[in-house]
Amino acid sequence: MNGNGNGRRLHTISVLVEDKPGVLTRVAGLFAARGFNIDSLAVGPTAEPGLSRMTIVVQVDRKPLEQVVKQLNKLINVIKIVELEPGEAVERELMLVKVRAEGETRARVLEICDVFRVRVLDVTHKTLTIEGTGTPEKLQALLELLRDFGIVELARTGRIALARGDVGIRDRGRRLKAVGERGPEWTGGGV
Amino acid sequence: MKVTGAQALFMALEREGVDVVFGIPGGAILPAYDPLIDSKVRHVLCRHEQGAGHAAEGYAWATGKVGVAMATSGPGGCNLVTPLADAKMDSVPIVAITGQVPTPVVGNDAFQEADITGITMPITKHNFLVKDANELVETIRAAFHIARTGRPGPVLVDIPKDVQLQEITWRWPEEVDLPGYKPTTKGNLKQVREAVKLILASERPVLYVGGGVIKADAAKELYRLAVDGRLPVVTTLMARGAFPDDHELALGMPGMHGCYAAVTAMQKADLLVALGARFDDRVTGQLATFAPEAKVIHVDIDPAEIGKNRAADVPIVGDAKDVIAKLHTELKRRQEELGGPPDRSAWLATLERWKREHPLRYEQPADGPIKPQFAIQRLYEHAKDAIVVSGVGQHQMWASQFWRFSEPRTWINSGGLGTKGFAVPAALGAAAGRPDRRVIAIDGDGCFQMTAQELATSTTEKIPFITAIINNAHLGMVRQWQELFYEERYSQVYLSHEVPDYAKLAEAYGCVGLRAEHPEDVDAVIEKALSITDRSVVIDFRCDPREMVFPMVPAGASNDDIILGPEQIKPTKDPSEAPVA
Ligand SMILES: Cc1ncc(C[n+]2csc(CCOP(=O)(O)OP(=O)(O)O)c2C)c(N)n1
């Protein structure tokens, strides 16, 4: 499907789910069944017992995104979904990277770490293992620089995000509206 | 009170109002089959779990209640896959209960283990694996609640053998608490007013009625809306019977094999009021050219259907019964203010003309062979108040076209998934649920052979119904496509008129087997069949294999290019010359 003005870009959606067996499979399966690639997916418990939050990043047009969000909302274990617009959310990711750093290159790697304010967690004669946290853009920039030295191994958590401001996901209005819909005419999860 | 999980299961089923379950026992569900003996719930022992699943669907279609199927682990559950997918596509409320290997060996590739919750995740509305009998009763309660509310659908509950044996204290939860499941049922009044504005402003409106109207038991509300608003109605394959076919406002079925008037009314409409319908490709044809001038009011209980295929000018999420009643009230109120419905006599006259000029048609030569449409029409004339169940293929389309429906829940078929083999077991389920009504399965010879074993169930369980096989010796619908779109290169579509001998097969199953080979036999055979009420009857109608279903909008083509009859396909060639096999 082509842009219809909205363009294909990365969307971050935050999904509050019941912490039930199989819920990750249900969510991931739904994306797969509708032909979407998940860019990243991070799951973890929330402050409320029994509830988890999934932060899902997908690259997709507006209209199919709406369809997949509506389908997601039909999953019995899904409680709430909001889309987090880039400017209106804080986003972080954690990455661990083992990079070659022998002889004189070691100093240059450490210098980069300093500039990016990231920590070294493990040192061997041949490598440094670095912990990077920050916005996905910052980690991407760091990775570009480290690539020149040779990356032995890399692990990333995927993006997590919260909306800016003083309200939680439960109190936020529905962000995604049906095509042609004029207001929040319908609410309520599940069908 | 202390009970086992298995006992609690049946106590819960009784509380849910279940009077019959369709199933087959096996190792992992054995504990549940013991308390069944003492339960008020009737068990219908099917011959194949697919049959049990479709029977549960047929029961649900016919009664509006939740149908229940039971099966053992592994192969038992796997055989339920097709009915579950079918029920998902057609929003049929069923609950499937499956045994599972004991919890300590789950995941161990134990004997007859299959990850049935994993397998059925995309084809159920929801499913559960019960790991502790203390959660069993509330899970069953939740399963029924999910199956029958909102957009109905299939729910599977997988119960490991040790959980069935586990002792628990019986407790019936009064409430179902599912924080993530709160379907919107009440239509928004502001949207209803917007919709009525569009209806009053429209010159060429059409009510596009889908299966949701049947599911919501909203036929009465629909009737009032159509009649008081003078709004013409098309009923989709899923909605046949939601509005009486003999009414002057009825245009019949739209879509790929729809009536000219229904298809063209939608194409030319300036307003479509979609009620529990989902703009399926079999209705819209090529989406880009579908109903190009129409504004759309879309009423559906599932928000995901709204805007999925066609943008809605006025979306209304809610239960069809509630929303249609509100539309009717508001429309009536506004019409009273305005002194009546707008004058749409020109539109209604055009529709009348289309109906008159392009009726469904076929020719029955006096000396045969029997035309399928003729057999179906004669059946209808003899048994107008029957519940009709169909398989999938040409006979399904002819049954839907030529039966004149007047009531909801008298037409049962597999629309979304198109499951061959649906008819016989679904008829069994419908007959079990509606013993007061005559049930007739109109089946294809290909379809029939996929699930005919349930005739044995019908005999031993004394659940009689009639199966009318439209025996055209072919996988007729596939043959039709090969004739039309593959240059008459017939590939693997010939079955045989004689093999099996359907009348003998029926007798072997304890049913009465009848046969009609000539047009003049048809009435007598139907009368004979209808005179038998204590046993199932199978009629082998030996039909013309060359007959094709028309009208037809070829897949992917525009509804504007509807083909009305064989003369439009091959104007230079006599259709009777087409090879038979
Ligand atoms: C389980 C299944 N397999 C295959 C098909 C594809 N299919 C659709 S119609 C059809 C032919 C049906 O033949 P028959 O039952 O004789 O009915 P007819 O079209 O001749 O009326 C087939 C094979 C299907 N719908 N379902």
Side-chain angles (χ1 to χ4, degrees):
Chain A
M1 206 158 282
N2 275 321
N4 55 25
N6 298 304
R8 198 184 171 101
R9 64 162 178 89
L10 287 181
H11 295 269
T12 305
I13 54 179
S14 191
V15 187
L16 196 63
V17 298
E18 283 183 285
D19 189 12
K20 291 272 165 88
V23 62
L24 179 60
T25 319
R26 287 180 205 280
V27 171
L30 202 148
F31 277 89
R34 306 251 161 203
F36 293 119
N37 282 326
I38 294 178
D39 238 63
S40 83
L41 189 157
V43 203
T46 65
E48 274 182 79
L51 296 187
S52 296
R53 181 192 289 265
M54 293 186 184
T55 309
I56 305 170
V57 181
V58 278
Q59 186 164 5
V60 58
D61 278 340
R62 163 68 49 192
K63 193 170 173 238
L65 176 70
E66 271 172 11
Q67 180 56 214
V68 91
V69 167
K70 283 172 162 187
Q71 296 293 351
L72 266 184
N73 207 40
K74 284 165 66 172
L75 295 179
I76 308 293
N77 301 135
V78 168
I79 290 179
K80 181 98 187 227
I81 306 168
V82 296
E83 187 190 351
L84 299 171
E85 300 288 346
E88 298 167 23
V90 287
E91 302 183 328
R92 286 293 179 273
E93 187 176 345
L94 170 67
M95 129 183 139
L96 298 176
V97 53
K98 189 178 289 178
V99 62
R100 275 189 222 295
E102 285 178 281
E104 77 204 55
T105 62
R106 174 164 300 224
R108 285 167 55 204
V109 172
L110 286 169
E111 195 183 332
I112 291 169
C113 290
D114 209 35
V115 172
F116 277 84
R117 297 181 204 286
V118 295
R119 296 201 297 154
V120 175
L121 299 180
D122 188 41
V123 185
T124 69
H125 289 301
K126 294 180 177 165
T127 63
L128 293 173
T129 299
I130 297 160
E131 171 201 297
T133 52
T135 63
E137 296 73 36
K138 168 182 157 180
L139 296 190
Q140 206 50 46
L142 173 61
L143 213 50
E144 290 305 319
L145 291 174
L146 294 180
R147 228 180 270 283
D148 295 344
F149 303 98
I151 290 170
V152 180
E153 220 180 354
L154 173 68
R156 299 177 71 160
T157 57
R159 186 181 308 194
I160 57 168
L162 288 181
R164 291 182 187 276
D166 53 9
V167 293
I169 181 167
R170 289 257 206 193
D171 303 314
R172 286 166 60 89
R174 187 174 293 271
R175 303 297 301 272
L176 289 150
K177 302 215 171 73
V179 177
E181 196 179 9
R182 287 181 197 130
E185 298 352 323
W186 47 269
T187 52
V191 175
Chain B
M1 189 184 18
K2 290 277 182 199
V3 291
T4 64
Q7 286 169 321
L9 168 65
F10 277 94
M11 290 163 72
L13 292 180
E14 284 173 12
R15 284 283 185 121
E16 286 295 345
V18 174
D19 48 19
V20 53
V21 306
F22 303 89
I24 302 183
I29 192 83
L30 263 175
Y33 270 78
D34 187 69
L36 166 67
I37 297 173
D38 306 314
S39 163
K40 288 200 281 286
V41 175
R42 174 183 183 188
H43 182 275
V44 171
L45 176 60
C46 293
R47 299 304 190 260
H48 190 308
E49 288 87 354
Q50 184 188 357
H54 290 319
E57 288 189 89
Y59 175 92
W61 267 89
T63 62
K65 298 199 286 182
V66 178
V68 184
M70 255 170 83
T72 192
S73 65
C78 288
N79 278 344
L80 286 176
V81 164
T82 304
L84 287 168
D86 192 89
K88 178 84 186 314
M89 288 291 264
D90 284 350
S91 309
V92 185
I94 62 170
V95 168
I97 293 159
T98 48
Q100 182 52 281
V101 300
T103 44
V105 294
V106 164
N108 228 4
D109 304 321
F111 177 62
Q112 293 197 322
E113 177 176 4
D115 172 14
I116 200 66
T117 45
I119 289 168
T120 60
M121 218 170 252
I123 54 167
T124 51
K125 184 170 173 185
H126 194 58
N127 61 23
F128 298 93
L129 170 60
V130 184
K131 288 189 178 146
D132 178 349
N134 289 298
E135 289 166 12
L136 179 63
V137 176
E138 65 185 84
T139 303
I140 294 291
R141 186 113 166 71
F144 277 81
H145 177 68
I146 292 167
R148 76 172 140 236
T149 56
R151 179 176 184 169
V155 179
L156 177 134
V157 184
D158 197 25
I159 315 174
K161 194 170 185 177
D162 55 325
V163 174
Q164 297 168 43
L165 293 167
Q166 186 187 338
E167 201 162 80
I168 55 160
T169 306
W170 166 259
R171 195 186 68 83
W172 178 250
E174 285 310 323
E175 299 277 300
V176 190
D177 181 32
L178 297 164
Y181 179 70
K182 311 261 184 261
T184 306
T185 56
K186 302 273 177 257
N188 180 296
L189 274 173
K190 197 177 123 256
Q191 294 295 91
V192 167
R193 282 193 288 272
E194 288 298 316
V196 167
K197 271 187 213 158
L198 283 191
I199 293 174
L200 287 171
S202 85
E203 291 170 5
R204 300 184 308 282
V206 173
L207 299 183
Y208 160 31
V209 173
V213 170
I214 306 245
K215 301 281 157 23
D217 284 323
K220 275 206 188 73
E221 289 75 6
L222 169 67
Y223 190 86
R224 289 188 200 119
L225 176 67
V227 171
D228 289 341
R230 304 282 303 145
L231 301 165
V233 180
V234 303
T235 44
T236 68
L237 184 66
M238 296 302 294
R240 305 289 292 127
F243 191 77
D245 281 326
D246 284 332
H247 198 280
E248 51 166 352
L249 290 166
L251 303 176
M253 178 172 78
M256 181 177 270
H257 292 295
C259 308
Y260 178 83
V263 173
T264 309
M266 292 179 93
Q267 283 307 94
K268 305 290 181 206
D270 67 352
L271 176 68
L272 291 179
V273 185
L275 305 169
R278 60 186 176 91
F279 293 86
D280 179 68
D281 57 78
R282 294 281 132 140
V283 167
T284 63
Q286 189 190 53
L287 203 50
T289 54
F290 171 67
E293 291 151 40
K295 291 201 164 153
V296 171
I297 298 166
H298 197 166
V299 178
D300 207 289
I301 195 150
D302 181 354
E305 289 302 344
I306 295 180
K308 185 176 88 175
N309 294 332
R310 170 82 177 230
D313 297 276
V314 180
I316 309 178
V317 175
D319 185 79
K321 195 178 180 79
D322 175 80
V323 179
I324 297 173
K326 283 175 178 160
L327 284 170
H328 175 247
T329 308
E330 173 68 8
L331 183 65
K332 230 177 131 186
R333 189 183 69 77
R334 292 284 294 122
Q335 283 184 171
E336 271 158 24
E337 286 171 10
L338 298 165
D343 176 21
R344 302 196 193 96
S345 47
W347 175 234
L348 293 177
T350 306
L351 298 176
E352 224 13 77
R353 182 165 56 78
W354 286 343
K355 280 205 271 185
R356 205 173 50 244
E357 286 173 2
H358 304 289
L360 293 166
R361 60 185 154 91
Y362 70 94
E363 267 169 57
Q364 175 60 67
D367 55 348
I370 298 172
K371 294 289 182 179
Q373 302 96 320
F374 176 70
I376 291 167
Q377 229 171 15
R378 293 315 301 159
L379 264 173
Y380 166 69
E381 291 300 334
H382 286 280
K384 291 186 176 172
D385 59 351
I387 293 174
V388 185
V389 187
S390 95
V392 169
Q394 292 180 311
H395 63 281
Q396 174 189 28
M397 294 299 117
W398 285 316
S400 174
Q401 290 177 336
F402 285 91
W403 204 274
R404 312 285 296 169
F405 293 95
S406 57
E407 256 188 277
R409 301 197 183 280
T410 58
W411 165 248
I412 299 173
N413 85 133
S414 167
L417 197 67
T419 307
K420 279 181 64 191
F422 178 81
V424 168
L428 175 82
R434 292 300 307 266
D436 56 318
R437 296 287 289 257
R438 173 77 73 171
V439 175
I440 302 180
I442 296 177
D443 212 1
D445 46 326
C447 289
F448 177 79
Q449 293 185 73
M450 287 193 170
T451 47
Q453 77 285 340
E454 301 310 332
L455 288 175
T457 313
S458 142
T459 301
T460 55
E461 299 273 349
K462 299 197 168 41
I463 306 173
F465 55 91
I466 294 174
T467 304
I469 303 175
I470 303 301
N471 177 2
N472 56 7
H474 284 77
L475 299 171
M477 187 57 97
V478 183
R479 183 193 179 283
Q480 173 165 348
W481 284 49
Q482 290 175 351
E483 178 166 351
L484 296 178
F485 312 121
Y486 290 84
E487 300 168 335
E488 298 173 56
R489 285 162 55 84
Y490 297 110
S491 178
Q492 305 300 317
V493 287
Y494 177 67
L495 298 172
S496 156
H497 264 135
E498 294 86 17
V499 180
D501 180 325
Y502 294 101
K504 268 195 193 159
L505 186 67
E507 300 281 347
Y509 279 129
C511 311
V512 176
L514 304 172
R515 174 169 299 132
E517 293 184 82
H518 307 287
E520 68 266 20
D521 301 342
V522 168
D523 277 329
V525 163
I526 292 172
E527 277 161 26
K528 176 91 209 313
L530 289 168
S531 73
I532 299 162
T533 51
D534 61 338
R535 283 202 282 166
S536 280
V537 183
V538 175
I539 312 174
D540 174 10
F541 285 109
R542 292 277 172 91
C543 291
D544 183 1
R546 293 185 185 86
E547 196 63 21
M548 289 196 279
V549 185
F550 292 106
M552 179 172 195
V553 179
S558 165
N559 281 353
D560 291 328
D561 302 327
I562 183 168
I563 300 165
L564 291 173
E567 68 286 347
Q568 269 173 280
I569 300 277
K570 290 170 282 172
T572 55
K573 198 169 170 185
D574 180 342
S576 67
E577 281 169 22
V580 173

